[in-house]
Amino acid sequence: MKVRQIAAAALMPVLFAGTAASAETVFAVSSWLPPTHTASTVQKDWCDKLAKESAGSMKCNMLPKGVVSAPGTFDAVRDGLADISFTVDGYTPGRFINTQVAEFPFLGDSATATSVAYQRIYDKYFAPLGEHRGVKVLAVFTHGPGIIFNSKMAVKSAADASSLKFRIGGGNINELSKAMGWNTTLKPAPESFELLSTGVMDGTFFPDESVASFKLSMIKHATTFPGGLYNTSFVFMMNQDKYKALSAADKAVVDKLSGEPAARMFGEGWDKVDTASRDGAQKAQGVERIMADKAFVKAVADKQDALEAKWATAAQAKGLKDPKSVLAEFRAEIAKVK
């Protein structure tokens, strides 16, 4: 009897260890961007916080490459091919309407401000409408102000832009480019180097960081706009079933780190690398930077007015009440973010 008791006692630590090990949740985390890109590194930083805040009960397995190409990422997370990732709403045209509000021109010069303000507006107005149904939304965010980059000439007017071929990332900038009569092609960001290096495209619309992140050494000219020519709406997300299977304590940790804290992480990360690219890669390769003049800004604004009216009609049909007031509130919220 005593031998059996001793044997049982000896097994207890093993059994408890097995229980603890089985309680650990490991998330498969995917990124279609290079592992050194700011969105990838911030995603990893968020995962590190998740592990720390949960005392190791939740961890992330950073996959060596994306499970699918960028446009398929939303569905991949929804269907469980990956547990956590992010994507660009505009990579699947026509699918997400309300989120286009974060893509309009002249919103602001800081990814932090636009991301945090966007998260606040999203929580208040967009989340209840369920446009991202099928996944657990961890945060929404934007990159820094969009710029016209090219390897050929200084783009000083809408007519100058019309003479070149550009890669763009979709969303409102796709519609704006059509309205302006520009020759643009919708392609994911990672394809930019090949498109520009082979001469298929003359330039690309990007935030500052992308010149360094995608090693676009052929870029020689940049045209900036006050508040940016455009922004890009991103969604950071988790597989819904994976979230539902978590314990109440682990769900609380995920929720604590989601929303505005995560949006600020992505925004601050982007602002940092925007500055580094301007001061580093672009300066080293002699990129000529000019600011669009009043006539160029007005030409864009005139076309954008019609697009915002079109968006308001589409958003209202999707259930958003008084879209124009929501847009005005978003712009006011950006100015408040510290």
Side-chain angles (χ1 to χ4, degrees):
M1 192 71 172
K2 191 175 287 187
V3 172
R4 287 180 181 177
Q5 289 174 337
I6 293 171
L11 280 172
M12 290 300 286
V14 176
L15 292 172
F16 282 124
T19 302
S22 65
E24 181 183 282
T25 299
V26 179
F27 297 100
V29 181
S30 176
S31 175
W32 42 270
L33 287 167
T36 55
H37 189 281
T38 182
S40 299
T41 60
V42 171
Q43 182 172 243
K44 184 181 182 303
D45 290 344
W46 187 88
C47 279
D48 290 344
K49 286 191 174 185
L50 190 72
K52 183 177 180 180
E53 290 282 338
S54 68
S57 70
M58 292 183 286
K59 296 181 180 179
C60 292
N61 174 28
M62 313 303 294
L63 301 177
K65 63 178 183 178
V67 294
V68 293
S69 63
T73 301
F74 184 91
D75 291 340
V77 173
R78 182 197 63 194
D79 297 340
L81 296 180
D83 296 320
I84 296 174
S85 191
F86 56 86
T87 195
V88 172
D89 289 316
Y91 281 171
T92 49
R95 186 171 188 176
F96 305 105
I97 303 300
N98 295 322
T99 59
Q100 290 175 15
V101 73
E103 302 171 352
F104 294 162
F106 321 132
L107 288 176
D109 294 315
S110 160
T112 303
T114 53
S115 294
V116 171
Y118 179 28
Q119 183 69 56
R120 293 172 182 173
I121 293 297
Y122 184 90
D123 288 342
K124 186 175 180 180
Y125 296 106
F126 302 157
L129 298 176
E131 204 166 38
H132 286 121
R133 66 178 58 87
V135 301
K136 164 67 175 177
V137 174
L138 301 174
V140 293
F141 62 98
T142 76
H143 61 39
I147 295 167
I148 297 177
F149 286 109
N150 81 93
S151 59
K152 303 292 186 183
M153 58 186 281
V155 174
K156 299 179 180 179
S157 66
D160 287 343
S162 297
S163 68
L164 301 173
K165 297 176 293 182
F166 293 98
R167 168 267 161 204
I168 59 171
N172 183 75
I173 189 59
N174 190 35
E175 300 304 312
L176 179 59
S177 296
K178 290 177 184 177
M180 298 296 294
W182 295 341
N183 185 356
T184 57
T185 301
L186 175 60
K187 291 287 184 181
E191 296 184 28
S192 299
F193 180 85
E194 182 178 358
L195 291 169
L196 271 66
S197 63
T198 58
V200 174
M201 297 291 161
D202 301 311
T204 181
F205 295 177
F206 260 148
D208 267 316
E209 61 80 21
S210 299
V211 173
S213 294
F214 297 108
K215 298 178 172 58
L216 302 181
S217 58
M218 71 291 294
I219 293 296
K220 297 300 177 186
H221 302 278
T223 303
T224 65
F225 291 76
L229 175 63
Y230 73 101
N231 280 292
T232 292
S233 167
F234 288 80
V235 57
F236 178 43
M237 58 200 159
M238 178 183 288
N239 176 267
Q240 200 164 54
D241 289 338
K242 195 84 170 186
Y243 176 78
K244 287 180 179 178
L246 296 174
S247 67
D250 283 350
K251 283 179 182 175
V253 172
V254 171
D255 294 345
K256 176 185 175 182
L257 298 177
S258 299
E260 194 169 318
R264 185 175 289 276
M265 284 179 69
F266 280 102
E268 289 178 348
W270 221 298
D271 283 337
K272 183 177 179 179
V273 293
D274 270 351
T275 300
S277 179
R278 283 195 303 270
D279 295 345
Q282 292 181 48
K283 188 175 182 180
Q285 64 199 55
V287 175
E288 177 194 8
R289 296 177 70 89
I290 61 172
M291 175 67 77
D293 63 19
K294 291 181 179 180
F296 197 175
V297 171
K298 185 178 186 304
V300 171
D302 288 347
K303 296 296 184 182
Q304 180 61 26
D305 285 345
L307 291 177
E308 289 181 12
K310 181 181 177 182
W311 167 80
T313 299
Q316 195 162 28
K318 284 277 190 177
L320 183 63
K321 296 179 181 178
D322 201 357
K324 291 184 178 179
S325 292
V326 172
L327 175 55
E329 185 177 341
F330 179 38
R331 287 182 168 133
E333 198 66 46
I334 291 170
K336 296 178 186 176
V337 176
K338 301 298 184 183

